[in-house]
Structures are given as C-alpha cells and as structure tokens.
Amino acid sequence: MVNLKKELESNKVLLLIVSGLEYNDRIVKVMKVLSGKSVAYVTLNKTNDSLKELFKKKKVDITNLVFVDAISKTFKKAPEQAESVFYCSSPGSLTELSLIITKFLKHDFDYIIFDSLTNLAPYQKRDIIIKFLSSLANKIKSSKTKAIFYALDVKDGKELIQQASVYMDNVINAEEINNSA
Amino acid sequence: MAKKIMVVDDEPDNRKTIKTILEKEGYVVITAVNGDDCLNKIKEGEKPDLILMDIMMPGTPVREIVPKLKNIKVVYLSVVRISEAEKEELLKSKNVIGFIQKPFDLDELIRNVKKFLG
C-alpha cells in the first residue's frame, strides 16, 4: 500500500489518479495531509465556493489556502480577484492559467494542487495539454513548490494520463493508498 | 403534440444517451454541441419547450448564452460542483428553472424533465 503523506513529501510532481466514487473523499484527505502548508488550489471542475463548502463541512483548515478558480466565470459573473481567490476565464485558457500558476511559484507556496488534468480535455487538444503540462512541470521542478495533479479515472482520459505520466515524478492510483493516510 | 427538448452538451455520449432515453418517453429531441450551436439552431427557427444545457462546455460561456434564449426554459446539467448559494443564484435567472447534478440516474432525469415541462 502507498503512504500518501510520504509520497507527497518525497515527490516534487505527483499525479494522483482518482475514481469518480472516491473523488471528494480523496481531495479532502489530501488537504488534511497538507494541513498547515501553504497551498494554491487550481480548480477546473468545482467552484471555489463549493470547495470551501466541502472543506468547511469536513473540517479542513483553509487558512493557508488560495484558490485559482477557472470554472466560476464560465457560468456567473466573477471579478478578476477576490479574497483568497484568483479567477481564470475558463479551464481552456491555458495561457492565463499558466501565468497565474507561475506567479504562485514565485511566491514559494508549499504546494500547488491541480484539479484536474482530465478536465482540460474538453477544451484543448491533447498535444496542447501535454505542452502546457510539460512547461508547467519544468517550472515546478525548478521552484520550491511541490505539485499534485489529479486525474479522473475516466475512459476518455487514459491516453492523456499515459502521456502526462512522463512529466511526473510518480503516478499513484488512489486505490493503492493506505486509507489511514 | 409531443414536447420538444434540446440537449446541449459537448460530450457526444451524453447527447446520444439523453436523446435516446427522452425519445423513448415520447419527446422530440434535438441536440446541439455547445452554447453557440444552440443559439444558432434557435435563430434558425428551432423552438424547444425545454433546453437541457451542460454548464461546462467549450465556446461561449453559458452565462452569456442563457440570457439570449429569452423565454425558453433552461435546466442546467452540471458535472461542475457548485455551492448551494451559487445554485440559488443561478436559479434566479428568469429562464433557468432547474439544476441537475451529473452523474444522474436516468429515472431521475425523466422524472425531472416531466416536472419541468409540467
């Protein structure tokens, strides 16, 4: 079995493959392991409001958490920036996402969580996503920040996951994680 | 006369599944691949009684599409997790009458469609 805490500590760039069923539980567990660390949470499929709602319900400390929300603007009016939130226009705006994430890397956040890689698929071609990921992974590796990329274990995501794995220090299937971690 | 439903979703599998299920229930179902396609079809003269629209699609954001649909009832289908407060806010839009969280049970979808169409 894999110890999540050890994996998070020992890998600079980690890909975590999660099934839809345990998705919410897993993001909560990861956040609890990272408690006290400064985290930039890039969300492409849940609004920052819904994540705050979930984390509050599950008693996750969000004091050191900043969100990059790339989904809210697709269906509601949102400012460029609010307290602890940076808004990006769409999950497909990879240049915008890259610029925001690069800013966080310069501020030496402990972790960046990218949730999720497979949510980019409807918006961009796979080779463009892979170029984005390769550039991002290189920036992360030369920074003080560690990164966790989530990928949903979905039929259409398998090739993307396979190609993305090349840029990761380790790839973990969440089913292999020791549940006490 | 059978009610007409437009399914707007960028995922071909979703469009196909929902179309098949609703057609079995006796509805006339047309599809659009994104918000822009939906608007074009409305401009071309389609008059659905209800639009089932995925909230997260490439192209023009749905928040810009929905007001242009004027009096056509819209139900959002969403794989995006949103907060309760955001859900309430969305439902304040004049023509948005419901919100169905994906993944949904097909019976639940049929039940909701019947409810929304009165």
Side-chain angles (χ1 to χ4, degrees):
Chain A
M1 293 300 272
V2 172
N3 181 300
L4 181 62
K5 194 173 179 184
K6 273 188 188 166
E7 292 295 334
L8 293 177
E9 282 167 0
S10 59
N11 290 293
K12 190 83 173 147
V13 187
L14 187 67
L15 180 63
L16 206 51
I17 304 168
V18 194
S19 75
L21 282 176
E22 61 157 5
Y23 189 22
N24 276 359
D25 283 348
R26 184 53 60 195
I27 59 176
V28 167
K29 278 180 183 165
V30 169
M31 284 309 299
K32 286 192 172 173
V33 171
L34 299 181
S35 178
K37 307 279 186 194
S38 56
V39 178
Y41 196 115
V42 183
T43 172
L44 308 187
N45 59 31
K46 297 174 279 296
T47 64
N48 76 86
D49 277 353
S50 73
L51 278 169
K52 284 175 189 162
E53 201 173 73
L54 173 70
F55 291 155
K56 195 177 167 187
K57 194 172 148 192
K58 301 288 183 182
K59 298 185 170 49
V60 173
D61 178 15
I62 59 166
T63 321
N64 298 318
L65 188 58
V66 175
F67 292 97
V68 178
D69 181 336
I71 194 68
S72 289
K73 271 191 168 182
T74 63
F75 69 92
K76 68 173 191 177
K77 280 183 186 167
E80 291 304 311
Q81 201 177 326
E83 197 187 342
S84 306
V85 188
F86 290 78
Y87 289 96
C88 178
S89 54
S90 139
S93 307
L94 298 187
T95 311
E96 209 180 329
L97 269 176
S98 179
L99 286 171
I100 299 176
I101 294 171
T102 306
K103 270 188 191 175
F104 282 109
L105 293 176
K106 284 178 184 163
H107 284 85
D108 294 343
F109 270 68
D110 294 321
Y111 284 89
I112 281 182
I113 294 178
F114 194 93
D115 182 10
S116 74
L117 205 51
T118 35
N119 283 107
L120 292 173
Y123 293 88
Q124 292 288 357
K125 288 180 181 164
R126 198 163 63 236
D127 57 339
I128 294 175
I129 299 173
I130 292 299
K131 269 186 195 168
F132 164 76
L133 179 66
S134 139
S135 154
L136 193 55
N138 283 332
K139 284 179 190 169
I140 292 164
K141 284 174 184 174
S142 58
S143 76
K144 290 180 180 170
T145 305
K146 290 177 180 171
I148 302 155
F149 287 84
Y150 286 112
L152 279 166
D153 192 6
V154 289
K155 188 181 70 180
D156 298 340
K158 296 216 182 297
E159 286 182 38
L160 176 62
I161 291 172
Q162 198 177 14
Q163 284 182 262
S165 302
V166 175
Y167 302 98
M168 303 289 151
D169 293 332
N170 201 2
V171 180
I172 297 172
N173 194 318
E175 285 173 2
E176 297 163 10
I177 294 171
N178 181 342
N179 272 332
S180 62
Chain B
M1 199 175 149
K3 299 266 188 184
K4 188 185 275 188
I5 298 170
M6 183 188 278
V7 179
V8 189
D9 199 312
D10 59 310
E11 289 290 336
D13 286 352
N14 290 350
R15 288 197 303 272
K16 194 178 166 189
T17 308
I18 298 172
K19 186 175 191 294
T20 307
I21 296 294
L22 294 178
E23 280 177 343
K24 272 188 189 164
E25 291 297 309
Y27 297 108
V28 173
V29 183
I30 52 174
T31 59
V33 298
N34 56 33
D36 298 300
D37 188 28
C38 162
L39 270 187
N40 285 338
K41 286 184 170 155
I42 300 294
K43 280 178 194 163
E44 285 164 9
E46 288 289 2
K47 287 179 183 165
D49 299 287
L50 181 71
I51 294 178
L52 299 176
M53 184 177 285
D54 184 22
I55 208 168
M56 183 176 155
M57 290 180 291
T60 308
V62 293
R63 67 179 162 80
E64 291 175 29
I65 298 288
V66 169
K68 292 177 185 166
L69 297 171
K70 292 174 183 163
N71 296 322
I72 304 172
K73 293 177 193 171
V74 175
V75 173
Y76 280 132
L77 303 175
S78 178
V79 74
V80 176
R81 291 277 160 189
I82 67 172
S83 68
E84 286 306 315
E86 285 170 324
K87 209 176 282 182
E88 280 173 26
E89 196 58 40
L90 278 179
L91 292 172
K92 280 182 188 168
S93 296
K94 204 174 69 181
N95 50 337
V96 178
I97 59 163
F99 187 95
I100 300 173
Q101 187 75 54
K102 286 182 188 174
F104 46 75
D105 175 68
L106 292 174
D107 290 336
E108 181 197 344
L109 174 72
I110 294 164
R111 222 173 24 249
N112 274 308
V113 165
K114 283 180 181 166
K115 183 181 85 182
F116 294 132
L117 282 171

